[in-house]
Amino acid sequence: MAPDSWKTYKNDPALAEARIEEAARPGNAAPKPGQPKSTGEQVPRDQVPARVAELLDADPTISAATVTERLGVHRDTGQDALALRRADQFADHIEAHPTLPPTEAAAQLGYPAGQIRRATARAEVVLRARHAAPYLTGVAAALHRAGWTIAEAAPEVQFPGDDRVVAALVLDADQVPVPAVVWDERYGWRTATSRRHPITKGGVRPSEGEGVRYLTGGITPPPGAVVAAPTT
């Protein structure tokens, strides 16, 4: 049909009733799942773990998409918080029932079948972190006694890739020449080049040099060796 013919026909009452307005058609303006574009998260980050725990306790089969929708957070925030809470809960259950097979533990917790493998693997990482916690706390205390840290804070523990344990201790810039020290369960201690982001993205092992130096003495050297590292 020629454009001029359409101009004539489009005003016909029979056609007007059947027309679909452009505004009603799906496109860029159509609603999409997840957090609205250009909006901030509705729940502060420090409150997300507690809120996710409440949701998981109420519904063990809850999905990350539902968490995202309920809390109004980015899907990555919701997914990470849900995975960590599920792993913590699973680790608690395994510690309380050490002879219970993972599949039965997951069933008792009400987890969906598709989440059992990931939750089991993540729970094993959480348990390794709990096992390492007394050692890391001891190193943190030794660094504080030596004056390398302002406060005797607990190490910041992360789980890069969901399959390993990495921890960081930020040091006092006025007292020590390196920004931070990092412990990786695979490589032991190293110095870091950044106070803000001492743990590299994805937990990648940085090469030695330009402010990065690996300590000798194995994966868990005595706290005194870690204390001496920033100045030797």
Side-chain angles (χ1 to χ4, degrees):
M1 182 181 295
D4 290 341
S5 299
W6 169 246
K7 290 179 182 179
T8 301
Y9 291 131
K10 70 178 182 179
N11 294 319
D12 186 288
L15 284 178
E17 293 178 1
R19 288 176 58 196
I20 300 175
E21 295 296 332
E22 185 68 23
R25 296 177 59 189
N28 292 333
K32 297 180 176 61
Q35 184 185 6
K37 187 177 180 181
S38 303
T39 61
E41 296 190 333
Q42 298 178 25
V43 176
R45 287 292 183 95
D46 60 345
Q47 296 180 20
V48 169
R51 295 290 299 277
V52 169
E54 293 175 359
L55 294 174
L56 185 59
D57 289 343
D59 179 9
T61 65
I62 194 169
S63 66
T66 301
V67 169
T68 297
E69 182 180 358
R70 295 271 186 89
L71 301 185
V73 297
H74 191 278
R75 66 176 179 273
D76 292 344
T77 301
Q79 182 173 341
D80 291 346
L82 179 60
L84 182 57
R85 175 54 190 167
R86 195 168 258 146
D88 280 335
Q89 190 181 64
F90 208 166
D92 290 341
H93 203 69
I94 291 174
E95 284 188 323
H97 307 86
T99 62
L100 194 66
T103 52
E104 291 187 27
Q108 291 181 6
L109 291 170
Y111 289 174
Q115 292 291 335
I116 293 177
R117 179 178 294 181
R118 184 181 183 189
T120 301
R122 187 70 180 265
E124 291 174 352
V125 180
V126 170
L127 289 172
R128 295 204 305 271
R130 293 180 182 180
H131 180 74
Y135 169 71
L136 296 174
T137 300
V139 172
L143 288 170
H144 182 63
R145 288 194 300 269
W148 294 154
T149 58
I150 297 175
E152 191 174 349
E156 178 193 356
V157 178
Q158 296 183 18
F159 305 104
D162 292 350
D163 61 357
R164 52 194 180 276
V165 183
V166 181
L169 285 164
V170 176
L171 305 182
D172 184 355
D174 296 331
Q175 301 296 327
V176 70
V178 298
V181 288
V182 172
W183 181 80
D184 189 311
E185 65 175 346
R186 301 165 298 175
Y187 314 119
W189 290 95
R190 66 170 174 82
T191 58
T193 59
S194 170
R195 283 183 174 82
R196 186 173 183 181
H197 301 292
I199 299 175
T200 53
K201 186 175 181 180
V204 176
R205 184 181 190 270
S207 301
E208 196 165 32
E210 297 185 1
V212 175
R213 182 163 48 86
Y214 287 86
L215 280 64
T216 58
I219 302 300
T220 54
V226 184
V227 170
T231 56
T232 59

